[in-house]
Amino acid sequence: ICLYEQTCSGEICWYTFNNTETEVNCMNTLQVNISEGTYSLVLTNFTESVVISNFTLSGPQWGHITSLNISCGPSNNPSRQLLVKEFGFSELHNLLYLGLHCDNLILEDNAFLGLNKLTVLDLSHSINVSPQELLLNLNSEHLVNLRQLLLVQTGMNARVGFDMEDVFWNFIGKSRIFLLNVSGMNINSFNVTSYYRHCHHLSILR
């Protein structure tokens, strides 16, 4: 295993190598030198708002990434946002894990379109995300291989609570999700009838 650090204009990246794969950890930048062997990317501590579009994460090298974790960092800038535009991750054809952790996470429609291999979606601690934006992006046709949905404290400070009604439970039932974590969410309603009607494959609910 080899580890080295690269610093440029206050932006710091650490590159960790083993025999076949590379893991990259970067602070305050989306401009990352990704090689064909890079499989895991962690982006943290952004000082300004971040926009993810299909042009941001484009190029053949992005198709090799299997794990992407984006965290805005400490809550010292209340106006900082992480905006995911339509088709924002469409170039990440082999992505298995996606983590988005930012107080002010904004999801445009079809934000997760193209993530056909994704197995884990982790939006934990995105405390101000709109329940409506979240629900509109939970599409079983876009997330066909999703196994785990992690929503710990997601939207807990949003103006309205999350409605776990028939539309939500229908998505869970049509998906391949076996683990759902909604600990600390601001849940406005929970339709027990729809839960039992749709959730035959869900084995862990927290």
Side-chain angles (χ1 to χ4, degrees):
I1 297 176
C2 176
L3 172 68
Y4 78 88
E5 177 181 318
Q6 181 180 50
T7 305
C8 180
S9 301
E11 301 160 349
I12 302 175
C13 290
W14 293 267
Y15 296 78
T16 307
F17 305 92
N18 59 27
N19 291 333
T20 59
E21 299 175 326
T22 304
E23 178 177 293
V24 183
N25 289 261
C26 292
M27 296 175 58
N28 194 33
T29 184
L30 290 174
Q31 305 301 316
V32 184
N33 182 21
I34 298 177
S35 66
E36 185 175 335
T38 301
Y39 73 98
S40 178
L41 181 59
V42 179
L43 306 174
T44 62
N45 290 9
F46 290 95
T47 57
E48 304 294 338
S49 294
V50 178
V51 178
I52 302 292
S53 73
N54 59 326
F55 300 107
T56 309
L57 311 178
S58 64
Q61 69 274 20
W62 286 94
H64 301 288
I65 298 292
T66 60
S67 177
L68 175 62
N69 199 347
I70 302 177
S71 176
C72 286
S75 304
N76 52 10
N77 183 355
S79 64
R80 180 183 52 193
Q81 299 176 342
L82 172 57
L83 168 62
V84 182
K85 300 183 72 67
E86 186 178 29
F87 314 127
F89 300 106
S90 59
E91 297 288 322
L92 280 66
H93 309 298
N94 288 304
L95 198 66
L96 302 176
Y97 171 88
L98 175 62
L100 303 175
H101 316 289
C102 190
D103 286 358
N104 300 312
L105 173 63
I106 300 174
L107 302 171
E108 289 192 355
D109 292 354
N110 298 314
F112 303 132
L113 184 64
L115 296 178
N116 299 326
K117 293 185 178 181
L118 194 72
T119 59
V120 180
L121 178 60
D122 185 358
L123 305 179
S124 297
H125 310 298
S126 297
I127 59 176
N128 295 320
V129 68
S130 161
Q132 182 179 8
E133 291 177 10
L134 175 59
L135 190 59
L136 286 173
N137 279 286
L138 296 179
N139 188 323
S140 58
E141 295 181 0
H142 298 172
L143 301 169
V144 295
N145 278 303
L146 196 65
R147 302 297 202 280
Q148 300 182 44
L149 180 59
L150 309 178
L151 302 174
V152 177
Q153 297 183 350
T154 304
M156 64 177 294
N157 288 351
R159 294 182 179 179
V160 295
F162 191 81
D163 290 322
M164 292 187 172
E165 294 293 331
D166 195 68
V167 172
F168 176 74
W169 294 121
N170 185 47
F171 159 73
I172 298 296
K174 287 184 175 180
S175 73
R176 305 174 73 178
I177 294 173
F178 73 89
L179 187 155
L180 172 64
N181 193 338
V182 295
S183 305
M185 284 188 74
N186 178 13
I187 299 175
N188 185 55
S189 60
F190 188 110
N191 191 319
V192 177
T193 302
S194 294
Y195 168 77
Y196 282 110
R197 180 189 302 130
H198 297 294
C199 298
H200 306 297
H201 305 293
L202 186 66
S203 57
I204 303 174
L205 174 62
R206 297 172 179 165

